[in-house]
Amino acid sequence: MVSLQAIWRHPDDLYPMVKLKLAARRAEKQIPAEPHWAFCYSMLHKVSRSFALVIQQLDTDLRDAVCIFYLVLRALDTVEDDTSIATEVKVPILMAFHRHIYDPEWHFSCGTKDYKVLMDEFHHVSTAFLELGNGYQDAIEDITMRMGAGMAKFICKEVETIDDYDEYCHYVAGLVGLGLSKLFHASGKEDLASDTLSNSMGLFLQKTNIIRDYLEDINEIPKSRMFWPRQIWSKYVNKLEDLKYEENSVKAVQCLNDMVTNALVHAEDCLNYMSALRDPAIFRFCAIPQIMAIGTLALCYNNIQVFRGVVKMRRGLTAKVIDRTKTMADVYGAFYDFSRMLKSKVDDADPNAKKTKENLEAILKICRDSGTLSQRKSYIIQSKPQYNATLIAVIFIILALLLAYQSAIRPTNICTIWKVPYVIVVNV
Ligand code: D61
Ligand code: MG
């Protein structure tokens, strides 16, 4: 639920959020009739809000292939992430998962909530998978085999060096990029992108997640999930979990800034990957998560909140990104704005300040050299939000309608209506 305070602070979030709500409603109505496809699309909406909407706007046969690709890998990841499964049980499943997707009889119960339902009714995903064209099946099986083997390797291996870190992120996200490039090519809509650029698309997203989810991962029960490379955090603390303790705040933020600086190196490849795409729906599918990532990195940089709770972009800004991202000019504009915002937070006393600024300058230069910045719609929040009369009028009309509707259905006293649930959001 979005707070009235957030709307008040960012009135221009309202319209994109209403559009997003309607788009989500429409997407839910488009669930196919056949039971196994109905299961797959309803499950997609449950296990991935962020990717479900961008997948839904792809053309039919590519959409079905990407939907199944997502659910197969999400099921594989559910086995990897379930820290209650013994290693000698988990590793063989990860290694053989690429064969299990061909067998609707295969079943392994694990995970929690919707992830558990995905595992318990995985036969629906296998049935749908077997209906896909051979080109799609081959690409999905190949990536599933390589990701399963990579995940198995890191079940018994710690992420020590930055090379380990890049290797792990390649297995769990870089390979998704390689697989998607194959699916886009198999659909006849795009040339086959290079593995290097496809891999960077995954690493930029995964590293952003690993940075943002530090606290959730380190507090995982029964066993911590640790993906930050020892080569980086050992420069600041003796144990990775020490970063979450109050007394280590200064060192923790310096380590965080070091991790963000490392993630920024992939941005250039991502911009090159996206600028080569031709199909508008595929472009939006690739661009929206990337803009969310650079926005999230700008939010996490120099932000002690990463060690106190989960830091997330506010829903209004997410809605704006989804609503506004149509062309490469929008991507250059967003990467430019969020990089400048991050740069404004760099304190020269930070041990990595020089490297951070270098990596940001490289991004800013690509965006400037694109010659498209003048057309851009800015994401930078004005210090004082401009309240235009019409917007205030819209808010009042909506509230008046709410009031009228409320009094129409049950004439109660005025004060109950205003007790709207109040959610604290870390605003950018
Ligand atoms: C273009 C468009 C989308 C792209 C892309 C290029 C390149 C890579 C990716 C998406 C993948 C980005 C992953 C970032 C989020 N991290 C995770 O979900 C981690 O699990 C990784 C293993 C399973 C990957 C599942 C996946 C994700 C997105 C997809 C996809 C498959 C298939 C098609 C399209 C998008 C993370 O999981 C967090 C969680 O459990 O919720 C983890 O366990 O580390
Ligand atoms: Mg995982």
Side-chain angles (χ1 to χ4, degrees):
M1 177 61 198
V2 173
S3 72
L4 269 183
Q5 189 221 16
I7 301 288
W8 190 253
R9 284 173 57 84
H10 310 276
D12 51 350
D13 285 4
L14 193 62
Y15 179 55
M17 274 199 299
V18 172
K19 278 177 82 175
L20 185 60
K21 198 93 193 123
L22 296 175
R25 220 30 89 68
R26 245 193 336 273
E28 260 136 51
K29 284 207 189 66
Q30 276 167 356
I31 301 283
E34 300 106 310
H36 50 292
W37 281 109
F39 173 83
C40 290
Y41 277 101
S42 57
M43 185 49 69
L44 179 67
H45 284 279
K46 289 193 186 116
V47 293
S48 167
R49 239 167 5 150
S50 49
F51 281 110
L53 265 178
V54 287
I55 289 175
Q56 199 83 28
Q57 51 96 44
L58 293 170
D59 284 2
T60 313
D61 82 305
L62 180 58
R63 183 179 52 212
D64 289 348
V66 174
C67 172
I68 297 305
F69 186 40
Y70 182 92
L71 293 175
V72 165
L73 297 182
R74 185 51 69 208
L76 175 68
D77 182 55
T78 301
V79 176
E80 183 214 25
D81 292 0
D82 188 332
T83 49
S84 69
I85 305 172
T87 298
E88 60 277 9
V89 174
K90 184 181 286 193
V91 167
I93 295 174
L94 293 173
M95 300 295 288
F97 203 84
H98 66 101
R99 277 189 286 107
H100 295 322
I101 59 179
Y102 287 88
D103 168 10
E105 303 311 312
W106 180 82
H107 172 260
F108 180 77
S109 192
C110 67
T112 58
K113 300 196 271 338
D114 290 315
Y115 295 93
K116 184 170 184 342
V117 178
L118 171 62
M119 300 309 292
D120 290 342
E121 303 194 36
F122 190 74
H123 61 90
H124 285 305
V125 179
S126 299
T127 307
F129 169 76
L130 292 168
E131 286 181 11
L132 295 175
N134 289 342
Y136 291 140
Q137 286 190 22
D138 296 349
I140 293 173
E141 192 218 345
D142 172 54
I143 296 300
T144 305
M145 178 183 64
R146 292 158 69 179
M147 186 183 287
M151 285 173 166
K153 176 179 178 181
F154 277 89
I155 296 298
C156 331
K157 177 179 169 24
E158 186 206 333
V159 178
E160 296 237 12
T161 65
I162 293 174
D163 286 351
D164 290 341
Y165 180 47
D166 287 355
E167 185 186 352
Y168 178 75
C169 290
H170 163 69
Y171 291 136
V172 301
L175 284 173
V176 177
L178 273 70
L180 287 168
S181 296
K182 287 181 179 199
L183 297 181
F184 299 158
H185 185 55
S187 75
K189 293 177 185 299
E190 301 287 350
D191 298 337
L192 183 60
S194 75
D195 285 1
T196 307
L197 296 186
S198 302
N199 188 56
S200 294
M201 289 286 279
L203 265 63
F204 192 63
L205 297 179
Q206 181 65 15
K207 287 186 174 183
T208 301
N209 270 35
I210 286 176
I211 291 168
R212 181 201 63 195
D213 297 345
Y214 164 81
L215 196 66
E216 200 178 270
D217 287 340
I218 203 84
N219 291 340
E220 178 79 10
I221 311 251
K223 207 154 58 69
S224 290
R225 284 158 39 93
M226 303 198 284
F227 304 113
W228 290 29
R230 177 186 292 272
Q231 184 180 345
I232 289 181
W233 59 258
S234 61
K235 294 186 284 184
Y236 305 94
V237 287
N238 302 324
K239 296 199 299 299
L240 181 56
E241 69 257 30
D242 291 349
L243 294 175
K244 70 182 183 182
Y245 302 123
E246 185 73 30
E247 64 271 20
N248 302 322
S249 299
V250 173
K251 287 290 179 189
V253 170
Q254 291 176 348
C255 183
L256 169 62
N257 294 350
D258 198 337
M259 290 288 289
V260 172
T261 302
N262 167 276
L264 290 171
V265 298
H266 304 293
E268 191 169 347
D269 278 358
C270 297
L271 291 170
N272 291 336
Y273 180 96
M274 291 182 278
S275 61
L277 293 173
R278 285 206 295 266
D279 178 88
I282 290 176
F283 175 79
R284 272 170 55 78
F285 167 72
C286 294
I288 290 168
Q290 297 292 325
I291 294 176
M292 299 292 292
I294 185 77
T296 301
L297 286 177
L299 179 61
C300 289
Y301 182 83
N302 219 32
N303 187 348
I304 189 67
Q305 282 306 321
V306 169
F307 303 100
R308 304 286 174 271
V310 172
V311 171
K312 268 195 180 318
M313 275 170 77
R314 73 176 194 282
R315 275 175 64 72
L317 189 55
T318 305
K320 251 194 253 179
V321 170
I322 292 174
D323 181 47
R324 290 184 179 176
T325 305
K326 296 191 175 47
T327 67
M328 200 53 205
D330 301 324
V331 173
Y332 285 129
F335 269 73
Y336 186 80
D337 286 343
F338 286 123
S339 298
R340 270 202 333 168
M341 210 173 91
L342 203 163
K343 193 174 178 197
S344 68
K345 295 208 283 184
V346 178
D347 171 345
D348 287 334
D350 180 87
N352 294 283
K354 186 169 170 302
K355 187 79 180 99
T356 310
K357 285 183 178 174
E358 270 169 28
N359 294 357
L360 288 170
E361 256 328 303
I363 299 171
L364 292 169
K365 182 174 181 332
I366 293 170
C367 297
R368 275 192 220 103
D369 294 356
S370 73
T372 65
L373 291 181
S374 54
Q375 306 143 14
R376 84 182 186 286
K377 302 178 219 70
S378 167
Y379 283 102
I380 297 284
I381 310 303
Q382 323 305 330
S383 53
K384 192 109 194 43
Q386 276 78 312
Y387 292 117
N388 48 28
T390 43
L391 199 68
I392 293 177
V394 170
I395 290 177
F396 273 102
I397 291 162
I398 291 173
L399 291 173
L401 287 173
L402 260 180
L403 199 60
Y405 170 73
Q406 185 71 5
S407 50
I409 55 170
R410 66 167 188 274
T412 59
N413 62 23
I414 187 85
C415 55
T416 55
I417 293 174
W418 295 120
K419 283 211 189 61
V420 176
Y422 204 74
V423 180
I424 303 288
V425 183
V426 181
N427 284 326
V428 274

